[in-house]
Amino acid sequence: MKNGLPLRIGYALLALVTAGGTLAGAATATASPAPPALEFANPDSQARYGTAYAAALQNLLRTNTIAYDARYNRSGLLDPGTGLVRAGGGYDQPWTRDASINSWNATSLLDPALAKNTLWAVVDQNAVVQQDDQQWDQVVWVTAAWHHYLVTGDGNFLGNAYRTATATLTIREHATTAGFNPTYGLFTGASFFNDGIAGYPAPPADATESVSTGSMPWPGVATGMYLSTNELYYAAYVNAANMAEKLRRPAQEVAGYRTKAVALRTAINRHFWNPGTGLYDYQLLADGSRGAFQEGTGLAFALLFGIANPAQARSIVTRARELPWGMPDTFPHWARYSDAQPGRHNAIVWPLVQGLWAKALAGQGEVNAFAAETARLAKLAGSNSGFWEIYNGTTGVVDGGWQRLGDTVKFHWGSEPDQTWSATAFLDMVHTGLFGLTFTDRGLSFAPRLPAGWGDVTLRNLRYRAANLTIALHGAGTTIRSFTVDGKAAPAELPATLTGDHTIDITLTGAPAGDRDGDGVADAQDRCADTTGPAALGGCPDPAHLEAEDARNTGGVKTNVNHTGYSGRAFLDGLWAQGASSSFTVHRAANAGPERATFAVRYANANSDTRTMTLSVDGQVVRQVGFPKVSDSWDAWGTTTFADVPLTGRDPVVSLSYGPGDTGAINLDWLEYRR
């Protein structure tokens, strides 16, 4: 349990019914500096990635930043004038695993004081990361704490973090449950991400998940050994040694942690690497049985922490399986799940896993694979009014997945909105992946990966210690052709002592040739390199038929499949409250001039009357439009047409919004542009 409240597996029904939004009555404690801004020269890139970046910042720094709460100051190290980062909608606490991942992903860079408070909020009065039956929550904290020091250079924080890391690791090494197994030289207990039994094959589970929906009550999980958890212990030892060395602790203390790290890395490669699959196995049970399954976080950590050697890393990148909407948690479907009913922790997409995988791909120089994973998460967020907890890996629909508890109960869980680690996963894709930011105690270095087709991009108002940076990327690729600071050539690294405002310009070359979206238009010439479209439209989608699930949606609009008769992979619901909006980019031919266009819209309306919405183009209201009743059933669809809609420019944006005076409450299936 986390602070006595339900886990994400939801074995208490409270997780299903808790409302999203910030804590009631809570407000952020102190005003933070203006957040960064991401600006692409390519309109399609700006609409997709720039919009997702802004939404992710809003999620982290506004929606999920809550006021200081003395209940969390068990360590005595919190600043009462600074807030905390909660886990997200439906999860109102700064849970340990979430606090660690969010700080590592983004908070330590974007708001160091907020990150520090959040990290200390999950440490107890004995300088130990909070105790519960989820040991993975504790060890990931050590990596987040070391990263926080690298970003901030905060020596006082480092001293306290080292005491916390050493105390926590000592407890874990001697634990009787989820402790160290000397026979294998590995740590036992559940995998890092899978606190639900849906994340495990049978065995250790059974076909009905009869013991518990949680993972640790299962004896086979508690005594089993899992890839990602052991990798996190390895990283914790490495980072404890780094802390000790920086703090000038005795040499034998440093060497002790490094020796443990080397031994654990050796054991991981001995017991988990599978030459037959060219991947690391997911599990090793206490009886020696191995599970040759794929674990998304485990493969990502193998690359990120340097556990895999170069040949193994190449094999992982080549052989890892992804679903249409991203890297799944575990794979393939266990026998008790399917595409129609994916397991909550099985072949389903959690953005946190996507983010770690994208970071790992970027670190391997796999720029097109990194671009594809980043595009998937940006599309998922853009199509669903923000960053949700879980998505169906096949359809991209918001979906909490399935779990069982015996023969008679099978839960289809909800997917919570406004999940912080989903948003920080995308922020990290931009900072670590796209801009290649790497932090050391000496300074900030750059290894950008700008995919072909995305266009030039600028990140403004990024604060690094005492400096305020504007970073511009030009060209495409991973090879730095030129690097300037304030117009003067410089090495691709900034000193930690830098102060004031500075502009960094980086020109890149060497982008791999490719056609990521498979539309026959090379990425370098594709204005919409991650969305299929005809060459006549620069590789952008043909507006003659635009599926509503691919629109940019805000205000609660999201994808759904709970009615029949829709086209494509889903339809849109959530147009039920003022402020909800769906926007369609109409990519026209390069020579298109001003015109009065006609649009057809397929929709469902089972209300008793005609419902109204506001039609806008490029943010300018055109008029209120009506959607007559279709049927008494939401499974029936009708079509209405709107003529005389003014369009200018190559890429006008047509929106249907629930505005003042509208009645809304319809579902959308598609929109067609008819000249």
Side-chain angles (χ1 to χ4, degrees), residues 354-355 358 370 373-374 377 424-434:
Q354 288 183 287
F370 157 75
E373 196 70 15
T374 304
L377 182 50
T424 62
F426 187 78
L427 293 172
D428 190 50
M429 288 173 167
V430 172
H431 299 151
T432 301
L434 177 57

Side-chain angles (χ1 to χ4, degrees), residues 121-145:
V122 296
V123 173
D124 69 21
Q125 66 270 22
N126 298 312
V128 176
V129 178
Q130 70 173 21
Q131 299 291 297
D132 52 29
D133 70 349
Q134 299 183 57
Q135 78 289 349
W136 57 86
D137 274 10
Q138 297 173 310
V139 290
V140 69
W141 189 95
V142 181
T143 292

Side-chain angles (χ1 to χ4, degrees), residues 151-290:
V151 174
T152 65
D154 187 339
N156 289 332
F157 172 86
L158 183 65
N160 288 322
Y162 181 63
R163 285 189 289 275
T164 300
T166 56
T168 301
L169 285 170
T170 298
I171 289 172
R172 294 268 41 95
E173 289 169 343
H174 295 90
T176 55
T177 300
F180 187 71
N181 183 332
T183 300
Y184 295 100
L186 296 168
F187 284 88
T188 63
S191 77
F192 157 71
F193 196 61
N194 294 317
D195 49 8
I197 195 60
Y200 298 85
D206 59 33
T208 64
E209 299 177 353
S210 59
V211 174
S212 169
T213 57
S215 59
M216 284 299 286
W218 291 76
V221 174
T223 60
M225 290 145 282
Y226 291 88
L227 176 62
S228 58
T229 293
N230 280 278
E231 292 168 325
L232 284 173
Y233 275 102
Y234 167 77
Y237 281 137
V238 169
N239 291 323
N242 291 338
M243 291 178 181
E245 189 171 58
K246 187 63 184 177
L247 292 167
R248 299 184 179 178
R249 303 290 298 178
Q252 63 269 27
E253 201 169 312
V254 178
Y257 284 120
R258 296 212 187 280
T259 298
K260 290 178 179 179
V262 169
L264 188 51
R265 181 178 184 271
T266 300
I268 291 169
N269 277 293
R270 177 184 300 124
H271 295 296
F272 286 104
W273 180 253
N274 187 331
T277 63
L279 300 170
Y280 286 95
D281 288 347
Y282 170 40
Q283 72 176 12
L284 172 66
L285 298 182
D287 64 3
S289 303
R290 292 176 60 160

Side-chain angles (χ1 to χ4, degrees), residues 15-39:
L16 291 180
V17 299
T18 303
T22 52
L23 287 175
T28 56
T30 56
S32 298
L38 188 67
E39 301 170 3

Side-chain angles (χ1 to χ4, degrees), residues 8 19-22 55-56 58-60 62-65 85-92 98 102 384-391 398 415-424 555-556:
R8 276 194 169 79
T22 52
Q58 175 74 19
N59 178 301
L60 171 63
R62 297 293 181 266
T63 303
N64 288 316
T65 293
V85 177
R86 67 171 187 167
Y91 309 111
D92 286 334
D98 301 71
N102 289 326
N384 293 287
S385 297
F387 293 88
W388 290 70
E389 183 180 27
I390 320 173
Y391 301 88
V398 172
S415 175
E416 296 286 357
D418 297 323
Q419 293 303 287
T420 317
W421 63 16
S422 298
T424 62

